[in-house]
Amino acid sequence: MVPKKPHALLLWMLVCSGGSTEAIEPISTSIAVGMAAALTGFLATYPNIFYYFNECCRPEWISLNKTALVVGIGATLGRTIYNYLHESCEPKWIALNATGLKVDLDRKLFGQHIASRIILKAVSGFMSNDNPKKPLVLSLHGWTGTGKNFVSQLIADNVYKEGMDSSFVHIFTSELHFPHASQLETYKSQLQQWIKGNVTNCAHSMFIFDEMDKMHPGLIDSIKPYLDYYDKLDGVSYRKAIFIFLSNAGGESITQTALDFWKAGRDREEIELRDLETLLSLAVFNNKKSGLWHTSLIDKNLVDFFVPFLPLEYRHVVQCAMAEMIVRGHQPNPSVADQVARDVVYFPKTERVFSVKGCKTIESKLDYYL
């Protein structure tokens, strides 16, 4: 049953009025007990009442204003409201849908058996741990169009009710947010403050750093303490946050490995993480054009997983085209998907094995064929 908004508004006004001890006089014990009983019944009848309000993540004001609630509207009623807000807020907006993530990875991410397996296990394990020792740090690598940004979206969609629109998901793009090398020190300070402020607001914040291969070397080291094994730094715990780095760096090593397997007549599904992880971390660490060049994040083993995204083949481009048709509400047409896939540029030039841009141009190409 859908609750009526006026009731929700009145309840919220009652809660907010407890924020100041001068707002109303303390309520007598007998009245408070009666109100608490009525409120408990109301919340049981309308369990989704707070969906009418803004996205929340056990904000600090709930904890800070417990005393104000108790003093302002009475001990029993104040504690009832406090406990309900504190216990019901975060799970409503932030909770991993592990089944949903698995289904999305299986049905929407094509040609990335290694990445799918790592992402599912890493995110599921982290989110199910009530007391992680450090934040989850994932570094996604591969050529453009292979699915790095898309995977970040899938993670957000299955962790946050609002997905990428969540106020707890933050995206940094190197060329937009950190364009000038001359302002590196200013960027370091700003980045630290941004992350500290957002984690203070919500422990389960997620930070996505796009275009790491274009980031100024040394900048990302400014947040190294936040990714380390610390209980708290200046009273703030970063252990429940998620950091995702996206980069084209290392793409050459990944592609060469995939090409070697193809030349040897081996199936790409035979490629395993151990075939790429060490090679990838070294390639990124020693790439002077990468924001992870000689970074302490790698040197101190703070990156939990280097996730390789393999170059996509013709069959994967076909799958991307079919999936895009479904998104647009069209009946999947194998003939159209085949035409789109054939129109993509592949390499090596003679063999035409891998798509140069992955699935990046599929959306625009479909406009022509549909």
Side-chain angles (χ1 to χ4, degrees):
M1 182 176 180
V2 179
K4 297 179 181 179
K5 289 187 178 181
H7 290 164
L9 179 60
L10 289 172
L11 179 59
W12 189 249
M13 290 174 64
L14 180 62
V15 172
C16 290
S17 68
S20 171
T21 56
E22 298 177 356
I24 56 176
E25 293 297 323
I27 302 175
S28 68
T29 303
S30 59
I31 297 177
V33 170
M35 290 182 68
L39 178 62
T40 301
F42 181 81
L43 294 179
T45 304
Y46 305 111
N48 296 321
I49 189 69
F50 289 104
Y51 274 121
Y52 282 102
F53 303 102
N54 291 332
E55 184 183 30
C56 61
C57 176
R58 297 190 185 183
E60 287 299 310
W61 74 265
I62 293 179
S63 296
L64 294 176
N65 286 282
K66 180 178 182 180
T67 301
L69 282 170
V70 170
V71 173
I73 59 177
T76 304
L77 180 59
R79 289 195 183 94
T80 298
I81 295 175
Y82 167 80
N83 290 335
Y84 183 83
L85 288 174
H86 195 271
E87 293 173 6
S88 68
C89 177
E90 185 174 308
K92 294 289 191 298
W93 298 94
I94 305 175
L96 174 65
N97 180 358
T99 300
L101 180 58
K102 184 180 188 308
V103 170
D104 281 348
L105 290 170
D106 289 343
R107 296 182 181 178
K108 299 179 181 180
L109 183 66
F110 308 116
Q112 306 298 348
H113 65 284
I114 300 175
S116 293
R117 185 168 60 248
I118 296 173
I119 295 298
L120 181 61
K121 289 185 177 181
V123 175
S124 298
F126 180 77
M127 291 298 296
S128 64
N129 187 350
D130 292 332
N131 187 31
K133 300 301 180 184
K134 65 180 289 297
L136 176 63
V137 183
L138 303 173
S139 194
L140 316 186
H141 298 267
W143 275 7
T144 183
T146 52
K148 301 185 299 297
N149 280 284
F150 185 55
V151 160
S152 302
Q153 177 186 324
L154 294 183
I155 295 173
D157 287 345
N158 287 284
V159 171
Y160 303 90
K161 183 175 182 290
E162 297 294 305
M164 292 295 287
D165 292 328
S166 171
S167 57
F168 311 127
V169 176
H170 313 280
I171 303 175
F172 299 96
T173 303
S174 297
E175 291 188 328
L176 176 63
H177 295 99
F178 318 110
H180 308 295
S182 60
Q183 298 183 29
L184 183 59
E185 294 306 313
T186 299
Y187 294 151
K188 287 182 178 180
S189 177
Q190 290 177 338
L191 187 56
Q192 290 174 340
Q193 292 304 313
W194 285 335
I195 292 178
K196 180 179 180 180
N198 283 301
V199 173
T200 299
N201 182 53
C202 181
H204 277 300
S205 292
M206 186 166 87
F207 302 93
I208 301 171
F209 291 84
D210 199 3
E211 301 178 344
M212 282 298 298
D213 46 306
K214 299 177 182 177
M215 181 177 283
H216 306 300
L219 174 57
I220 203 65
D221 278 342
S222 64
I223 66 169
K224 181 260 180 186
Y226 304 153
L227 276 59
D228 214 329
Y229 293 82
Y230 293 114
D231 183 21
K232 289 185 178 181
L233 292 171
D234 294 331
V236 179
S237 174
Y238 298 86
R239 292 183 172 191
K240 293 184 178 180
I242 298 176
F243 293 83
I244 302 177
F245 304 128
L246 312 180
S247 177
N248 291 342
E252 297 85 354
S253 301
I254 298 171
T255 299
Q256 187 58 55
T257 299
L259 195 56
D260 290 342
F261 269 69
W262 179 81
K263 289 180 177 179
R266 301 176 65 184
D267 193 271
R268 67 188 281 127
E269 276 69 30
E270 293 182 52
I271 304 175
E272 297 185 19
L273 181 60
R274 64 170 177 265
D275 296 314
L276 289 165
E277 190 170 35
T278 301
L279 186 67
L280 183 56
S281 63
L282 289 175
V284 173
F285 186 77
N286 293 315
N287 187 339
K288 291 184 177 181
K289 296 182 180 180
S290 169
L292 294 172
W293 178 64
H294 283 193
T295 176
S296 59
L297 272 61
I298 297 178
D299 194 36
K300 300 299 182 181
N301 298 309
L302 297 181
V303 177
D304 296 298
F305 293 98
F306 288 92
V307 186
F309 282 71
L310 302 172
L312 300 183
E313 299 175 7
Y314 164 83
R315 57 189 167 117
H316 304 125
V317 179
V318 170
Q319 290 177 304
C320 289
M322 297 281 279
E324 180 60 25
M325 288 183 224
I326 295 174
V327 169
R328 296 188 183 194
H330 296 290
Q331 185 69 25
N333 189 324
S335 178
V336 172
D338 178 71
Q339 285 181 297
V340 172
R342 290 180 183 279
D343 196 30
V344 170
V345 178
Y346 295 87
F347 73 96
K349 206 165 187 179
T350 54
E351 294 89 348
R352 301 183 80 244
V353 182
F354 302 121
S355 170
V356 171
K357 295 183 180 179
C359 285
K360 200 172 186 70
T361 61
I362 297 304
E363 186 175 344
S364 58
K365 288 185 181 298
L366 269 177
D367 293 332
Y368 175 77
Y369 287 104
L370 289 176

